[in-house]
Amino acid sequence: MKPTFTNYFIALFIFSLSSFTLAFSQGIKIEKTLVENRLNPLGIDNPNPTFTWLISSTKRNVLQTHYEIQVSDLDRQFSNNIIWESGKVESEKSVKVKYDGPELSSKSKYYFRVRVWTNQGSSNWSAISFWQMGLLNESDWKAQWISPGYEESGNKRPSPYFRKVFNLPKKIKSATAFITSHGLYEAQVNGERVGDAYFTPGWTSYNKRLQYQTYDITSLLKKGENAIVTVLGSGWYRGHLAWNDNNNIYGSDIALLLQIEVEYEDGSHETIGTDNSWKSNKGAILSSSIYDGEKIDARKSFPGWTETQFDDTKWMPVKTVDFGYKNLIATYNEPIRKQEYLKPVKLITTPKGEKVLDFGQNLVGFVEVNIKGKKKLKITLEHAEVLDKAGNFYTTNLRAAKQENTYILNGDGEEHFEPHFTWQGFRYVKVKGLQEDIDLDDFTAVALYSDMSKTGSFSTNNERINQLQHNIQWGQKGNFLDVPTDCPQRDERLGWTGDAQVFFRTAAYNMHVDNFFTKWMKDLTADQLPNGAVPHVIPNVLGEGAAGSAGWADVSTIIPWEMYLLYGNKEVLQTQYPSMKAWVNYMSSKSQHSLWNTGSHFGDWLFYRPDDDTDGRSALTDKYLIAQCFYAYSTQLLINTAKVLEIKEDVQDYSELLKNIKAAFQKEYVTPNGRLVSSSQTAYVLTLQFDMLPEELREQAAQRLAENIQQYDYHLTTGFLGTPYLCHVLSRFGYHDLAYTLLMQPSYPSWLYPISQGATTIWERWDGQKPDGSFQNPGMNSFNHYAYGAIGDWMYRTLAGIKSSEIPGETGYKAILIKPHWNNKVLSEKVASSVNQALEEVDASLETYYGTIQSHWKKENDHVSLELNIPANTTAKVILPLTSMDQITETGKGVEEMDFLHKIHQEDGHIALEIGSGFYVFSIAQ
């Protein structure tokens, strides 16, 4: 057909329209896609997994209007193999959208993609992502549990070694390994390590919830003969935990369960699993203990034992054991992995003549050694956090934990040593056994922690505040090893609930802790006592008598609610609601007329206690006053949760209870003029934070708090329970400058005092090391204890001003509140004289499920520059400490010219701008 002018014009129009559409779409992109909050995860056992996608755009005011999801079950091909598609759904939701298709199959891999439509255009399909299902039914497990074929004795037992050679007769398309154990395991296939996770299967309430891990081992296998080997360690399962002779908490056995699913290129399948055909033996790991460390004798190793040709005819057959599969669950939280590598900064010869490596940073992990030496040479590494005032190696605060690794060389060239099933908390390492000069290049410290992505950054122009943030982050790294531990060095390392709940918000700014705490909260439910009491530590290894302390057990209500606020995680509220309710009911059962004044409580743990308290000013807070405050708070959170879940009867019942709890508090602990029976800072902080007083008595209470701080010469006196809320209460009631003064206070007790003593992590005590170099009570003196790092929440939320809306449907940073404070004044002349850098700049960012929020302000002569980044598919309210709209410009435009503004109004004497997504640069006249 001969083209006509009209046909040419139509073709040109269609081409131009498609080019315009493509260009328009290119402004909207799907940047990242997640399943169950993870990228391309393996081993999912949720029958309806959730999808999350992150939209990016250079445009402003971008809001999703529709989405479409497609799921395929065949090799990334979507044309003919779609098993479910959502269709074009009208919704702004882009976080945790549930799969709603046909039933998913065990072990199967699925592929998905998503595209969106927004008010600013549409996106192309996202890059294709995938997930693989785990073993969804007990019947899917074909492998048998195996234990070593030799008899074990004692508590410090050698690690058992297992191996199996098997033949794969065809070309392999894919292979997946499912592994768990009683104890800890490491596995290799044909000499290559399976995965890069450490201390697997992690720590849970093993008898009720034992995780298995899923690995893609396709690249490790080959057609023909293959060898798989594993080594086990006692770990948390049967190793020594807590105090006294607390061994074999979950069992005295050690066992392995391993199953490999192979799919061949021809479509056939084969299963290889642990059974009675495996072999076992003792090897080079003579003993392994979390507290005491590991002893490895390389002379007892088996060269080539990971390969198929190794002769294992003298190895013992294993025992098969029937432990069943009922408690097996998939792994959702991030594994522990090797993270930072640090070389020693110097070699110290102490006054005692000991050789000590200084790594310059208090960290958690272990030291790798690469060294040559004679056969039988024994090298011992002892670990410590600090040196004493004389400069000697100090381990008294470790209590009964030895924290030492011993390596015995076989003399065969350069040898590499690192522990397998233990870790240490340390900055300093004493080296024993080397006769020649120590070469620093032979030693490398490796930090290990749960591999949660970094989400937050916080920096200022003040070096000490930056060091404080550094210490908070490293305290979190060192104590987030599969569970949130209290300390990583002494004979404890337990999941203390009080520490975790006070630090949670700060933790969520620094790292992506959604999955980490979802897993831990399920263990809390598993270990919660039948009467509703919550154990002091989770998993509970202290017994039923160690439960029910106010501020500790309230973790059961506080963390689920805060996960909902910070991640929009409604599912955790649904899952944890029975546990939350059981805890509140427990407190009610122990109360008389809604007054809870019974039981044993930790109170405001490690509050300030002066050495010579001659005038009775010690900051003691009545423990039952504290208990009543948390009774009210947990009840309030239960009411909040019931509203979200639309459980109307509970809203009504517990609202009446809350009214009675507060009335009982006021009758028992408050005078008619509003004075509390305990005049401590913590008493007033908790009373104000939890709204325990009538509205008309709150201002005078805040004033009493401020006066108390001034009486202590602008120092805090709070402990674990009062400290997290202290600065928040001061800022809320108009004493922000006092809160800022406390932050900048350099002398004990304060956040900056440990920094003056060289701290690189947060201390357990305000004065763990005193100005004269002496130490606090060594029975309770950790130098890596994150609880007081809870000030990080106030730094992000108040100084930088980044906060999520708490309105249902807007949580998880769907709607963002930006309220920075830059008019910070130091009230004390003594403090001001020590502040070498006034706070003139704060730059903070937070990676959310929607993208990166940034709040960066800087004082410049007579104005403040404020840079904001608001992610696509969100909105923000920006509250500025201004009285006139004429003070604000954005890229040179006044308020009247700002076409991006949704709304501008006055709010509590400040100016509030309501804006959409995008990058903004405001200039604000002072």
Side-chain angles (χ1 to χ4, degrees):
M1 176 180 172
K2 185 177 180 181
T4 65
F5 178 79
T6 302
N7 290 336
Y8 174 78
F9 179 81
I10 291 172
L12 180 62
F13 174 78
I14 292 172
F15 175 78
S16 299
L17 183 61
S18 62
S19 299
F20 173 78
T21 302
L22 178 61
F24 195 54
S25 296
Q26 286 176 340
I28 307 293
K29 294 181 180 179
I30 305 297
E31 195 72 31
K32 183 191 296 184
T33 53
L34 305 173
V35 177
E36 295 293 287
N37 312 325
R38 293 158 57 193
L39 181 65
N40 298 333
L42 305 179
I44 298 298
D45 63 3
N46 182 353
N48 297 99
T50 61
F51 304 105
T52 295
W53 53 90
L54 188 152
I55 303 168
S56 70
S57 176
T58 57
K59 301 173 183 291
R60 286 180 171 177
N61 293 317
V62 173
L63 286 173
Q64 176 183 297
T65 59
H66 300 77
Y67 69 79
E68 183 176 11
I69 304 169
Q70 289 184 340
V71 176
S72 167
D73 65 350
L74 185 62
D75 292 345
R76 302 177 183 267
Q77 300 299 314
F78 281 82
S79 55
N80 299 312
N81 298 287
I82 297 174
I83 65 166
W84 177 67
E85 51 188 338
S86 65
K88 187 176 181 180
V89 179
E90 183 177 357
S91 174
E92 285 189 6
K93 190 169 185 179
S94 60
V95 175
K96 298 181 180 178
V97 177
K98 281 189 177 182
Y99 169 82
D100 191 26
E103 183 177 351
L104 301 172
S105 302
S106 286
K107 303 172 283 187
S108 295
K109 183 176 282 190
Y110 297 92
Y111 302 85
F112 79 100
R113 61 183 181 177
V114 62
R115 61 178 172 178
V116 300
W117 292 260
T118 77
N119 59 341
Q120 302 278 8
S122 60
S123 75
N124 294 321
W125 285 107
S126 66
I128 296 170
S129 299
F130 68 86
W131 81 94
Q132 184 171 353
M133 300 301 290
L135 301 176
L136 304 182
N137 309 293
E138 287 184 47
S139 59
D140 293 327
W141 286 98
K142 307 302 180 186
Q144 297 175 282
W145 283 96
I146 61 172
S147 289
Y150 54 84
E151 293 298 322
E152 295 187 291
S153 62
N155 287 326
K156 291 189 176 181
R157 290 158 278 197
S159 285
Y161 288 53
F162 299 95
R163 65 176 259 115
K164 162 81 173 178
V165 175
F166 57 95
N167 183 64
L168 299 178
K170 307 174 188 178
K171 191 174 181 180
I172 303 161
K173 180 180 179 181
S174 67
T176 304
F178 303 92
I179 313 176
T180 190
S181 62
H182 288 178
L184 305 178
Y185 71 83
E186 287 185 2
Q188 294 184 53
V189 171
N190 296 325
E192 297 292 329
R193 197 178 198 276
V194 175
D196 56 1
Y198 284 76
F199 312 136
T200 47
W203 190 10
T204 52
S205 179
Y206 290 128
N207 296 334
K208 302 164 189 171
R209 290 167 34 82
L210 175 59
Q211 297 180 136
Y212 64 85
Q213 283 73 45
T214 306
Y215 305 93
D216 183 344
I217 60 169
T218 308
S219 64
L220 304 184
L221 294 174
K222 59 189 177 183
K223 181 180 178 182
E225 293 285 290
N226 293 268
I228 183 164
V229 305
T230 61
V231 185
L232 302 186
S234 295
W236 296 287
Y237 181 82
R238 70 176 188 181
H240 183 207
L241 289 176
W243 312 283
N244 303 318
D245 189 23
N246 206 20
N247 294 290
N248 303 323
I249 292 172
Y250 300 99
S252 60
D253 69 283
I254 196 164
L256 172 69
L257 181 67
L258 184 153
Q259 183 165 311
I260 298 173
E261 297 288 343
V262 179
E263 180 182 4
Y264 294 111
E265 289 283 0
D266 65 4
S268 61
H269 294 78
E270 185 171 356
T271 300
I272 297 97
T274 43
D275 57 21
N276 58 12
S277 67
W278 284 58
K279 296 290 190 71
S280 66
N281 209 341
K282 301 174 186 178
I285 303 176
L286 305 185
S287 64
S288 183
S289 163
I290 288 174
Y291 293 160
D292 291 344
E294 198 162 284
K295 185 174 183 179
I296 299 175
D297 187 345
R299 298 171 300 172
K300 296 181 180 295
S301 60
F302 304 108
W305 82 288
T306 63
E307 304 295 339
T308 56
Q309 63 271 22
F310 177 76
D311 182 6
D312 61 10
T313 54
K314 294 184 179 179
W315 283 41
M316 288 157 279
V318 298
K319 300 174 185 175
T320 57
V321 192
D322 184 16
F323 290 125
Y325 314 105
K326 289 185 182 300
N327 62 334
L328 298 184
I329 57 172
T331 301
Y332 276 75
N333 61 311
E334 298 79 2
I336 296 169
R337 290 191 173 104
K338 289 183 175 180
Q339 308 286 349
E340 295 87 353
Y341 292 78
L342 290 80
K343 299 299 292 185
V345 296
K346 60 182 173 180
L347 175 64
I348 300 169
T349 301
T350 70
K352 291 184 178 180
E354 298 167 331
K355 300 296 184 181
V356 175
L357 305 175
D358 177 6
F359 286 93
Q361 171 65 51
N362 194 358
L363 70 136
V364 175
F366 48 64
V367 175
E368 295 182 348
V369 181
N370 290 293
I371 198 164
K372 291 182 179 180
K374 295 180 180 179
K375 190 173 184 178
K376 294 186 180 181
L377 176 65
K378 182 168 74 172
I379 301 170
T380 300
L381 304 183
E382 297 182 14
H383 302 75
E385 296 183 289
V386 291
L387 304 179
D388 68 17
K389 63 188 299 181
N392 287 311
F393 197 70
Y394 179 80
T395 58
T396 309
N397 70 318
L398 301 181
R399 301 191 306 214
K402 290 183 179 179
Q403 271 218 132
E404 64 179 37
N405 297 324
T406 299
Y407 306 125
I408 302 173
L409 279 64
N410 65 15
D412 187 17
E414 183 169 282
E415 301 178 55
H416 175 84
F417 292 99
E418 64 180 71
H420 300 264
F421 306 115
T422 188
W423 72 89
Q424 288 80 41
F426 64 97
R427 171 175 170 170
Y428 300 97
V429 174
K430 180 167 67 176
V431 182
K432 296 168 60 177
L434 286 182
Q435 306 302 319
E436 301 174 359
D437 290 340
I438 294 173
D439 187 346
L440 298 185
D441 289 338
D442 292 341
F443 302 88
T444 303
V446 184
L448 293 111
Y449 48 89
S450 291
D451 194 24
M452 296 166 288
S453 60
K454 179 182 176 182
T455 53
S457 66
F458 183 95
S459 63
T460 75
N461 64 299
N462 186 289
E463 294 174 2
R464 285 188 290 186
I465 298 300
N466 293 344
Q467 184 65 43
L468 174 61
Q469 169 67 5
H470 170 96
N471 293 4
I472 292 169
Q473 290 178 321
W474 274 90
Q476 181 171 348
K477 291 175 180 180
N479 283 291
F480 276 44
L481 278 86
D482 205 61
V483 302
T485 60
D486 61 321
C487 61
Q489 73 299 90
R490 67 188 181 214
D491 55 342
E492 200 158 347
R493 314 186 195 190
L494 306 176
W496 281 94
T497 51
D499 305 50
Q501 71 88 357
V502 302
F503 188 70
F504 174 81
R505 274 189 175 266
T506 299
Y509 276 115
N510 290 328
M511 294 180 181
H512 185 80
V513 297
D514 194 358
N515 287 6
F516 180 86
F517 275 104
T518 295
K519 170 252 189 184
W520 191 64
M521 294 308 297
K522 289 181 179 179
D523 284 301
L524 184 151
T525 298
D527 282 348
Q528 192 168 8
L529 304 186
N531 64 2
V534 176
H536 301 334
V537 300
I538 300 295
N540 182 19
V541 296
L542 300 182
E544 292 191 359
S549 177
W552 271 251
D554 298 276
V555 68
S556 60
T557 57
I558 293 172
I559 287 185
W561 179 251
E562 292 184 343
M563 290 180 71
Y564 170 68
L565 295 183
L566 302 184
Y567 294 110
N569 192 338
K570 185 176 177 180
E571 292 77 13
V572 78
L573 294 184
Q574 294 167 329
T575 301
Q576 298 300 133
Y577 188 76
S579 168
M580 299 169 75
K581 188 173 178 178
W583 168 239
V584 172
N585 289 345
Y586 170 84
M587 290 185 282
S588 294
S589 73
K590 301 299 179 182
S591 302
Q592 292 282 341
H593 307 294
S594 301
L595 182 67
W596 186 27
N597 58 359
T598 60
S600 176
H601 303 279
F602 292 110
D604 193 29
W605 188 249
L606 298 184
F607 62 91
Y608 167 71
R609 281 170 279 191
D611 293 328
D612 188 15
D613 184 19
T614 57
D615 61 357
R617 292 171 67 245
S618 186
L620 184 65
T621 309
D622 186 292
K623 290 185 178 181
Y624 294 133
L625 181 152
I626 293 173
Q628 192 72 2
C629 286
F630 277 96
Y631 183 17
Y633 187 41
S634 280
T635 303
Q636 180 66 71
L637 297 183
L638 186 65
I639 295 166
N640 295 349
T641 302
K643 288 179 179 178
V644 173
L645 301 180
E646 299 181 350
I647 308 174
K648 295 180 181 179
E649 183 178 350
D650 282 358
V651 173
Q652 182 177 344
D653 292 346
Y654 288 98
S655 294
E656 185 65 25
L657 173 63
L658 180 60
K659 184 172 70 173
N660 295 335
I661 293 170
K662 291 186 177 181
F665 176 87
Q666 292 160 26
K667 182 179 179 180
E668 184 79 3
Y669 300 114
V670 186
T671 70
N673 291 329
R675 183 181 294 275
L676 301 179
V677 297
S678 289
S679 61
S680 69
Q681 292 174 22
T682 290
Y684 281 100
V685 165
L686 296 182
T687 297
L688 290 167
Q689 176 70 20
F690 301 148
D691 296 330
M692 303 300 290
L693 295 177
E695 193 79 44
E696 67 272 12
L697 292 180
R698 294 176 188 175
E699 288 298 333
Q700 61 81 31
Q703 184 176 346
R704 293 182 198 275
L705 171 61
E707 290 170 352
N708 181 294
I709 294 169
Q710 292 164 8
Q711 290 168 6
Y712 278 95
D713 197 17
Y714 295 92
H715 289 86
L716 53 77
T717 64
T718 50
F720 275 29
L721 296 183
T723 298
Y725 306 112
L726 174 59
C727 287
H728 286 296
V729 167
L730 291 171
S731 293
R732 172 185 168 188
F733 285 94
Y735 294 94
H736 175 77
D737 290 340
L738 184 53
Y740 177 66
T741 302
L742 287 178
L743 176 69
M744 305 303 287
Q745 172 65 257
S747 61
Y748 163 77
S750 71
W751 287 284
L752 297 186
Y753 166 73
I755 291 170
S756 70
Q757 302 300 302
T760 60
T761 45
I762 299 296
W763 293 354
E764 180 177 24
R765 292 178 177 268
W766 294 117
D767 61 340
Q769 187 165 17
K770 299 180 181 182
D772 66 358
S774 62
F775 297 118
Q776 253 284 4
N777 180 355
M780 192 72 65
N781 197 24
S782 161
F783 291 94
N784 193 350
H785 221 92
Y786 54 65
Y788 288 139
I791 186 60
D793 172 40
W794 182 82
M795 290 158 59
Y796 274 104
R797 260 207 280 179
T798 304
L799 290 180
I802 299 175
K803 182 182 177 183
S804 175
S805 170
E806 299 186 2
I807 299 173
E810 297 182 353
T811 62
Y813 299 97
K814 174 62 173 169
I816 302 159
L817 181 65
I818 303 288
K819 189 179 180 181
H821 282 72
W822 54 71
N823 294 322
N824 304 296
K825 298 177 183 177
V826 176
L827 300 180
S828 165
E829 291 184 8
K830 188 183 295 185
V831 174
S833 65
S834 70
V835 177
N836 55 0
Q837 296 165 302
L839 210 56
E840 302 287 342
E841 181 178 9
V842 170
D843 188 1
S845 65
L846 177 66
E847 181 71 23
T848 73
Y849 282 129
Y850 298 95
T852 302
I853 303 169
Q854 183 182 23
S855 173
H856 177 198
W857 59 260
K858 184 177 183 179
K859 294 183 179 180
E860 297 176 321
N861 299 322
D862 59 349
H863 72 282
V864 175
S865 67
L866 174 63
E867 295 180 354
L868 298 177
N869 190 70
I870 309 301
N873 205 27
T874 70
T875 59
K877 180 191 288 186
V878 183
I879 300 177
L880 303 174
L882 305 173
T883 57
S884 171
M885 298 179 186
D886 295 336
Q887 295 174 262
I888 314 169
T889 60
E890 200 278 328
T891 58
K893 296 179 180 179
V895 171
E896 296 80 6
E897 303 172 273
M898 295 179 185
D899 54 5
F900 58 84
L901 278 180
H902 296 177
K903 186 178 178 182
I904 184 166
H905 60 280
Q906 292 279 347
E907 187 169 306
D908 297 329
H910 293 173
I911 290 177
L913 312 176
E914 296 186 18
I915 61 177
S917 65
F919 182 74
Y920 302 87
V921 181
F922 294 97
S923 180
I924 299 156
Q926 289 288 83

